[in-house]
Amino acid sequence: QVQLVESGGGSVQAGGSLRLSCAASATFFSIYVMAWYRQAPGKQRELVAGITSGGVTNYADSVKGRFTISKDGAKNTVYLQMNSLKAEDTAIYYCNADVRGRGWRPGDYWGQGTQVTVFS
């Protein structure tokens, strides 16, 4: 079992920045991929960014150059730095952990979600 606790969501004006954090109860040695997904109203959940145990990253085209995913192994925490936020980034953001080696597909464990609202 892996428990994920997110923090850092909120409301920000377009062009601003937010940093999301996700603390995992398991050590990163047992997790292949940590990722952030988001779901906007009326839309499917989509991968935003992911990072493997080896540090390889993957980003949705819509956030490349604006968002950065990183991790702190000592704290078992993954971060999503979001810059140059746009209204279309508004969504609930979910942390996800894969312990089975599923590549970039969603893992079995999800956080509770944190709301990000970008207003113009």
Side-chain angles (χ1 to χ4, degrees):
Q1 283 282 356
V2 178
Q3 292 184 325
L4 304 171
V5 179
E6 300 127 336
S7 60
S11 296
V12 64
Q13 194 167 18
S17 299
L18 284 173
R19 189 176 81 155
L20 306 183
S21 301
C22 173
S25 61
T27 64
F28 282 174
F29 288 117
S30 62
I31 299 175
Y32 286 95
V33 175
M34 292 287 293
W36 288 95
Y37 287 76
R38 68 185 180 188
Q39 187 166 20
K43 294 187 177 181
Q44 289 188 331
R45 193 172 295 190
E46 62 175 355
L47 174 67
V48 177
I51 186 167
T52 70
S53 56
V56 176
T57 58
N58 184 30
Y59 294 94
D61 287 342
S62 59
V63 307
K64 284 181 181 176
R66 300 188 298 122
F67 291 10
T68 303
I69 190 169
S70 61
K71 62 180 180 177
D72 183 335
K75 297 181 179 179
N76 295 332
T77 299
V78 65
Y79 304 97
L80 185 68
Q81 178 66 44
M82 305 185 293
N83 298 327
S84 302
L85 282 160
K86 304 176 182 179
E88 51 263 43
D89 295 318
T90 296
I92 299 175
Y93 284 69
Y94 297 91
C95 184
N96 179 266
D98 167 38
V99 299
R100 295 195 282 163
R102 295 166 57 87
W104 296 115
R105 291 177 293 171
D108 295 325
Y109 300 99
W110 294 93
Q112 79 281 4
T114 186
Q115 176 71 46
V116 171
T117 302
V118 183
F119 58 91
S120 53

